[in-house]
Structure formats: C-alpha cells, structure tokens
Amino acid sequence: MKIYCVEDDNSIRELVVYTLNHSGFEAQGFESAEPFWKAMDDDKEDGPDLLLLDIMLPGQDGLSILKELRASSQTADLPVIMLTAKGEEVDKVMGLDAGADDYVAKPFGMMELLARIKAVARRAGVNQHEGEQEQAQVNGPIAIYPKAHIVKVSGENVQLTLKEYDLLTVLMEHAGNVMTRDALLTDIWGYDFDGETRTVDVHVRTLRQKLGSARKMIETVRGVGYRMHKEENFQK
C-alpha cells in the first residue's frame, strides 16, 4: 500500500516514513502542499492509497488540502488520516466534517499509527499489497518479500538478478556470520557448478552497487568470504 505523508516537522515526517517503509508499506513524505500536489499530478496513474495529512502546514493548510481532495472525483474517496498537534475537539470535528476518515493527535506512538492506518484501509477496502500479505525479512534498511520476490532498500524497490537475489537472501539468513566463498557457491550455484570463487566476488560487487546506501552492510572478510551485518551492529 502506497502512503503519502504531508508533515512540515522534519523529525516527525522522517520517523513516520521510515517506520512505514520498514513495516511493509511504500511511503513518501512531503513538507508542504506544493511538493505534494506535484507528486499527485505526476502519479495520476499510480497515486497513494492513503494519505497522512497534518493540519498546520506552511502555505496551504491541511484542511484546505482535504477539501480540495474531496472536491475532485479522482481523489474524493482517498482515505485520509489527519495528523496534528491540535487536540481540541473543535479541530477534530472540523477535520472529520471536511471528510477525514480518522484523526490522530500528536504526540502519537508508531504502533498506534500503524493500527489506525490498517483500520482505515480495511474500512475503505484498500488492497494492502505485498507488504500486508507476507512478513518481510528485514535487516536494517533492507527488506526482502520472498513470496513477491521483491527487495527494498529504505522503502525503494531494488531490481536484482536471480543470482543477486539468492545471494542477498543467503547473506540475510546468516546475518552476523561469515559465509565462505565455497559455501556461497554451493548454496547458490549448486555442487555441480564448475566456476571459480571469483564468480561470488563479481556478484557481491554488483549487488553492493544496487544496494546503494546499504552496500556497507556486506562486509568482506579477507581470505574467507563475506558477512552481512546485523541491524543492531550496522553503522552508516
């Protein structure tokens, strides 16, 4: 499920987007109405399935954005959860009257927010896609969805070859432990593979390139093989 979050507080927006992307969702954040509307215009064919919307925003405020969304036939049914520091009942009523599906007052816990998102999506009949259909295997910024054969780094899809995918999966399954080149050859290419261990090095190099900012999670153990860091041990 694709979720947009319009929130001008950088720390809150980044935390929400990070949490959602590591919980099987596809999330993107915007600090104000202008970049949000641009994204909506660019993604007309594949827009968000749900919107988290702050009321107090620079420029066009959240209530005005909500009213504009509800006035358009394309976004009239888009599920919207209001996020705001205002906890007064009158603000809650204004948001709900304007067409919000739910209202979460700051400060809020991430578990509460996830529960609200799932409840609103369920009521709206939104398909929650691969992130809700299976449990992701997550280590730091890397998430693997085995059934869908999808890999994400910090919420962004990464296109891997079959062998790169298999290599990443094996390293993830043995995170924290050193995998020798011979063991990787056996697990991924099979006993009958007559290639040299250099094949592993080549695939590790291309895999690292595609992982981008997460490439340092794969450590070279000189003379032995490779090890993937566990999340708690990984330092950016």
Side-chain angles (χ1 to χ4, degrees):
M1 179 164 69
K2 181 185 288 189
I3 300 175
Y4 280 179
C5 176
V6 186
E7 165 63 64
D8 65 326
D9 187 306
N10 291 337
S11 60
I12 295 176
R13 184 179 66 253
E14 290 174 2
L15 176 60
V16 169
V17 170
Y18 178 88
T19 300
L20 292 175
N21 281 330
H22 284 75
S23 300
F25 298 96
E26 179 184 350
Q28 188 173 350
F30 307 92
E31 63 182 358
S32 64
E34 184 176 355
F36 164 72
W37 285 121
K38 183 179 185 305
M40 291 292 288
D41 187 58
D42 292 341
D43 295 338
K44 285 182 179 179
E45 301 300 322
D46 186 28
D49 299 299
L50 185 144
L51 175 64
L52 302 176
L53 180 62
D54 188 21
I55 287 182
M56 301 299 291
L57 292 170
Q60 185 180 16
D61 63 44
L63 288 176
S64 296
I65 292 176
L66 179 60
K67 291 177 182 178
E68 192 168 336
L69 288 170
R70 291 294 179 251
S72 170
S73 59
Q74 293 183 329
T75 55
D77 297 325
L78 176 66
V80 177
I81 299 177
M82 305 300 293
L83 303 178
T84 178
K86 289 190 173 185
E88 293 84 356
E89 185 176 0
V90 62
D91 295 302
K92 180 177 180 179
V93 171
M94 287 178 62
L96 295 175
D97 282 349
D101 296 272
D102 202 353
Y103 183 104
V104 181
K106 305 172 191 174
F108 51 81
M110 290 298 103
M111 294 303 293
E112 176 192 2
L113 181 60
L114 287 172
R116 295 288 191 93
I117 288 173
K118 291 177 181 179
V120 168
R122 188 166 54 249
R123 291 199 302 268
V126 175
N127 178 14
Q128 298 182 35
H129 303 320
E130 76 277 1
E132 292 301 306
Q133 294 172 3
E134 63 169 315
Q135 183 65 40
Q137 182 182 356
V138 179
N139 186 20
I142 303 174
I144 298 177
Y145 298 87
K147 292 181 181 178
H149 215 270
I150 290 173
V151 174
K152 293 186 178 185
V153 174
S154 300
E156 297 294 327
N157 286 347
V158 177
Q159 299 298 322
L160 302 180
T161 66
L162 178 59
K163 293 302 183 186
E164 289 166 351
Y165 177 90
D166 291 341
L167 176 60
L168 178 62
T169 299
V170 170
L171 290 172
M172 288 273 282
E173 290 174 348
H174 296 87
N177 298 318
V178 179
M179 294 293 294
T180 67
R181 290 174 174 83
D182 286 338
L184 290 170
L185 276 173
T186 299
D187 286 348
I188 299 169
W189 282 270
Y191 288 102
D192 296 331
F193 183 79
D194 59 359
E196 299 178 351
T197 55
R198 178 63 179 166
T199 300
V200 176
D201 299 332
V202 172
H203 280 77
V204 168
R205 182 171 69 249
T206 58
L207 175 60
R208 280 173 169 159
Q209 292 172 347
K210 293 182 179 181
L211 291 178
S213 60
R215 62 186 178 276
K216 293 183 179 179
M217 290 192 69
I218 301 177
E219 174 192 3
T220 300
V221 181
R222 189 176 299 276
V224 182
Y226 298 93
R227 171 173 53 210
M228 173 163 280
H229 291 281
K230 286 188 177 181
E231 179 180 5
E232 61 267 25
N233 297 325
F234 175 56
Q235 300 294 324
K236 293 184 179 179

